[in-house]
Amino acid sequence: MITGKINVIEGDITQLSVDAIVNAANTSLLGGGGVDGAIHCAAGPGLLAECRGLNGCETGDAKITQGYNLPADWVIHTVGPVWRDGNHGEDALLASCYYRSLELAKQNNIRNIAFPAISTGAYGFPPERAARIAVGTVKQVLAEKTTIEQVIFVCFSKQSYNHHQQTVQEIITNK
Ligand code: ADP
């Protein structure tokens, strides 16, 4: 059953004791604002040092590092698309962020993983549309044979929480 594997919570992703948290990074992987800044701040300088050796990351792709001072063991850094008008491949690139992150999770035997709402902050992706892509892509991956036991959507506002909760109900629970 996929339903029991997906959770939506409101909170700060840096506080979670899970195998891996996902970072909504930028292509440099050298830190930024929003959730990226919060993750680097909580993880400490070891994270930035490891990121320096990764040579950046393309939009829609993901790279993995250790978690350093975070409660999470791993950080999966993915780069979401900057929203333009929806006609520049934004949907597919956002789906790819979730897909590639889960692929890396599987390769590293990660069993529980937490995602922020990628691209919905500074990158301006419409939040309800982003939630549908996030939940839909996770559903697709969990339907395949996978070692992943739990995916948590970590929402930073009540509104984001409601979008994700509603979307999970629409495309998972009520199916
Ligand atoms: P992007 O550049 O991909 O839009 P942002 O970090 O600006 O990335 O925002 C992505 C989402 O992460 C937004 O919904 C924002 O509210 C949320 N966010 C910011 N800080 C945290 C945090 N500490 N934990 C979880 N989510 C966060």
Side-chain angles (χ1 to χ4, degrees):
M1 270 298 274
I2 291 174
T3 320
K5 287 186 167 185
I6 295 185
N7 292 82
V8 181
I9 64 168
E10 190 183 343
D12 175 357
I13 204 166
T14 66
Q15 307 288 309
L16 295 191
S17 289
V18 286
D19 294 335
I21 63 171
V22 175
N23 181 15
N26 57 52
T27 53
S28 77
L29 294 185
L30 299 179
V35 71
D36 195 6
I39 288 172
H40 275 276
C41 188
L47 181 62
L48 184 58
E50 186 175 351
C51 283
R52 280 208 180 92
L54 294 179
N55 262 321
C57 183
E58 306 236 326
T59 304
D61 200 2
K63 293 195 175 175
I64 189 165
T65 66
Q66 294 178 54
Y68 299 90
N69 299 337
L70 290 164
D73 296 327
W74 302 94
V75 180
I76 295 173
H77 307 262
T78 189
V79 183
V82 177
W83 177 262
R84 290 167 72 186
D85 54 7
N87 296 318
H88 290 82
E90 293 96 329
D91 290 351
L93 286 166
L94 185 62
S96 173
C97 288
Y98 286 91
Y99 189 79
R100 284 287 302 133
S101 297
L102 291 166
E103 202 165 60
L104 281 180
K106 279 190 265 183
Q107 282 165 11
N108 289 277
N109 295 315
I110 284 162
R111 284 190 262 180
N112 46 61
I113 178 167
F115 283 95
I118 300 162
S119 282
T120 66
Y123 282 4
F125 209 106
E128 285 170 288
R129 183 163 169 158
R132 277 199 297 278
I133 292 166
V135 174
T137 309
V138 166
K139 178 189 176 187
Q140 244 177 42
V141 173
L142 292 183
E144 298 161 9
K145 193 171 172 286
T146 175
T147 50
I148 297 168
E149 290 169 3
Q150 194 187 28
V151 175
I152 307 170
F153 292 107
V154 186
C155 304
F156 209 50
S157 68
K158 189 78 200 165
Q159 203 182 35
S160 175
Y161 173 84
N162 290 338
H163 290 148
H164 286 81
Q165 195 64 275
Q166 246 165 36
T167 309
V168 166
Q169 241 151 46
E170 271 165 35
I171 71 181
I172 296 176
T173 319
N174 296 340
K175 285 279 154 176

